[in-house]
Amino acid sequence: MPSFDTVLEPDHVKIRNGVDNSIKEIGTRFDFKGTGAKVELKDKEIHATGDSEFQLEQIEAVLYAKLTKQDVVISFLDKQDKIEKLGGDKVRQVYKIKEGIAADLAKKIVSSLKESKLKVQASIQGDAVRVTGKNRDDLQVAIAHLKKSFSDTPLTYNNFRD
């Protein structure tokens, strides 16, 4: 039976390029000269460090602009509510990079496919949702349904098997 996996998976190369471009712009902009403004990519987090909360907002604008130019969907970033105070007057904002479908979103995807009365079955497989059907056309209709129903979530569809 044909199947595919629905996953929430960012392109790490594009994220790296966006962060690198942000670092270059922060290094050359006049309003950041002589300040502690910087952006770092650590594992699955982006750390923005600045001298004040206002400067963090400016760094965030640069970061979002550069990531958007790289076609990275900003909803992959989970901005932490708490701004960390570092030594002196420095502050840091942490952005976690989302990867994998959370359990509540996976349940919503499965129930959405069941309610749509399509001839497919969906099952949660770790941090992905596997959708199986009798033929390829049913799976294409299921993908179209998921794209329409979860347009605010950057779902990707891979591991297509016939």
Side-chain angles (χ1 to χ4, degrees), residues 35-38 49-52 55 83-93:
T35 65
K38 66 180 181 177
T49 308
D51 291 338
S52 65
Q55 194 173 55
I83 294 177
E84 300 175 28
K85 301 257 187 227
L86 302 176
D89 58 350
K90 298 225 184 275
V91 289
R92 176 172 45 206
Q93 180 72 54

Side-chain angles (χ1 to χ4, degrees), residues 110-142:
V110 170
S111 66
S112 173
L113 286 171
K114 283 184 181 178
E115 290 170 4
S116 69
K117 304 275 196 256
L118 295 173
K119 295 178 182 175
V120 295
Q121 293 81 37
S123 62
I124 299 171
Q125 306 277 323
D127 58 354
V129 176
R130 175 150 303 153
V131 180
T132 58
K134 288 193 177 194
N135 59 34
R136 189 179 265 192
D137 295 337
D138 292 340
L139 296 180
Q140 290 174 341
V141 171

